[in-house]
Amino acid sequence: MKNLCSIVLLLLIIVSCKEKETEVKTTSEPEATTEIHFFASDSIKVYGDLYEKDKSAPTLIIFHQGGSNTRAEYKSIIPKLRKEGFNILTIDQRVGGQYYYGGYNRTVAEIPKNEYGYCDAYPDMVAALNYVKDSGFTGKTILWGSSYSATLALKLADNNQSAVDGVLAFSPASGNPMEGCQPNAHIEAIKVPLLLMKPASEMESERSQIQVKLANENGHKTYVAENGVHGSSMLDESRIEGSAAETWKVVMDFLSQFK
């Protein structure tokens, strides 16, 4: 009888361990995210999020559009990019907010009197590139910009061609709001791979047509998303009508060269 009780007890322990083992295996992997901050050259404190995979893997530095912040704008985009094995650094530039997509711009929140224009966010982006290099990331570095930050990403790549390996520019902004940091000269000067993307709705603009023409003439890749919207949101199916599958394919094909 004593032996029988011992056997039953042993079986219960084994079953209990198996159940716990199953629970561990089915638990979703936690987000490996670190909130970071650093300072731009003019002492503005810039907040961001670092998704670190491996310091030898390629790194995407991702910037948001005006009136926005990275956590909200890229909430459906970053998970897909992480699955591809990239390190990712996203930042909240000093020009942004929660007007689009909700969320909270941490950098803007700590600026008492924010009178900065789009071009003024450039030092934040320079600091982001420096952060990646100074933190020991050795893989290729790719810039990703949306709207005004796409224009500034072009400038950043042009000015740092030995430190940047590629650029994705979604709907680069131009015209009066970008006075002092227009994109076209940088599109012509960049030697690293560039993918310039526009929604079809923006191609009625002469400025957009000129951008695409310049990119094509200088050997870069361009893509017009038929059902796209402004900026990186052309990849978010909750913000467009229909599928973003073809747009994602173009992006992933471009990124594959950096792995």
Side-chain angles (χ1 to χ4, degrees):
M1 184 68 179
K2 186 177 180 181
N3 289 339
L4 180 60
C5 290
S6 298
I7 292 170
V8 171
L9 180 60
L10 181 59
L11 288 172
L12 288 173
I13 291 172
I14 292 171
V15 170
S16 176
C17 290
K18 286 292 184 182
E19 287 177 350
K20 289 180 180 179
E21 182 182 354
T22 302
E23 289 173 2
V24 170
K25 287 182 178 179
T26 56
T27 300
S28 60
E29 182 183 350
E31 291 290 316
T33 311
T34 303
E35 183 178 72
I36 54 97
H37 69 266
F38 44 78
F39 292 88
S41 58
D42 57 357
S43 300
I44 290 293
K45 189 176 184 179
V46 180
Y47 286 89
D49 294 309
L50 177 64
Y51 305 80
E52 184 175 335
K53 178 74 173 178
D54 183 323
K55 279 189 162 61
S56 64
T59 299
L60 292 168
I61 308 179
I62 296 180
F63 309 106
H64 60 75
Q65 70 178 75
S68 184
N69 56 87
T70 50
R71 286 182 174 177
E73 184 169 342
Y74 292 95
K75 62 184 177 182
S76 73
I77 296 172
I78 286 175
K80 294 184 179 181
L81 296 172
R82 293 189 67 202
K83 289 179 181 178
E84 297 298 316
F86 291 96
N87 300 305
I88 301 173
L89 172 63
T90 67
I91 69 165
D92 286 348
Q93 298 102 242
R94 71 184 71 188
V95 181
Q98 47 275 344
Y99 182 76
Y100 296 110
Y101 321 123
Y104 178 70
N105 188 305
R106 295 156 288 175
T107 301
V108 169
E110 294 192 4
I111 301 175
K113 189 176 181 181
N114 193 332
E115 297 179 340
Y116 293 111
Y118 291 131
C119 297
D120 297 326
Y122 183 68
D124 305 346
M125 297 169 64
V126 173
L129 178 60
N130 290 339
Y131 178 88
V132 167
K133 298 304 179 184
D134 294 343
S135 298
F137 290 88
T138 58
K140 293 183 178 180
T141 301
I142 306 99
L143 307 180
W144 176 311
S146 176
S147 189
Y148 90 88
S149 72
T151 296
L152 295 184
L154 293 168
K155 178 179 179 180
L156 185 59
D158 184 11
N159 291 344
N160 297 274
Q161 299 208 45
S162 63
V164 172
D165 297 286
V167 191
L168 294 94
F170 293 81
S171 302
S174 58
N176 292 335
M178 304 305 296
E179 192 60 42
C181 57
Q182 299 287 352
N184 291 0
H186 301 300
I187 294 173
E188 292 181 286
I190 287 174
K191 303 303 180 187
V192 299
L194 163 65
L195 172 60
L196 192 153
M197 306 183 73
K198 291 274 188 178
S201 59
E202 292 179 0
M203 289 307 295
E204 297 177 4
S205 161
E206 184 180 3
R207 286 196 291 265
S208 290
Q209 293 170 14
I210 291 172
Q211 285 181 15
V212 170
K213 182 173 182 288
L214 284 174
N216 288 330
E217 287 176 349
N218 286 275
H220 297 301
K221 295 184 180 298
T222 61
Y223 177 73
V224 176
E226 290 301 322
N227 62 335
V229 293
H230 186 67
S232 296
S233 288
M234 67 178 72
L235 292 169
D236 188 324
E237 291 190 347
S238 70
R239 299 170 188 164
I240 65 172
E241 293 184 6
S243 172
E246 182 60 31
T247 307
W248 267 110
K249 183 179 184 305
V250 171
V251 169
M252 292 305 187
D253 286 349
F254 180 76
L255 289 175
S256 67
Q257 67 188 295
F258 303 109
K259 292 184 177 181

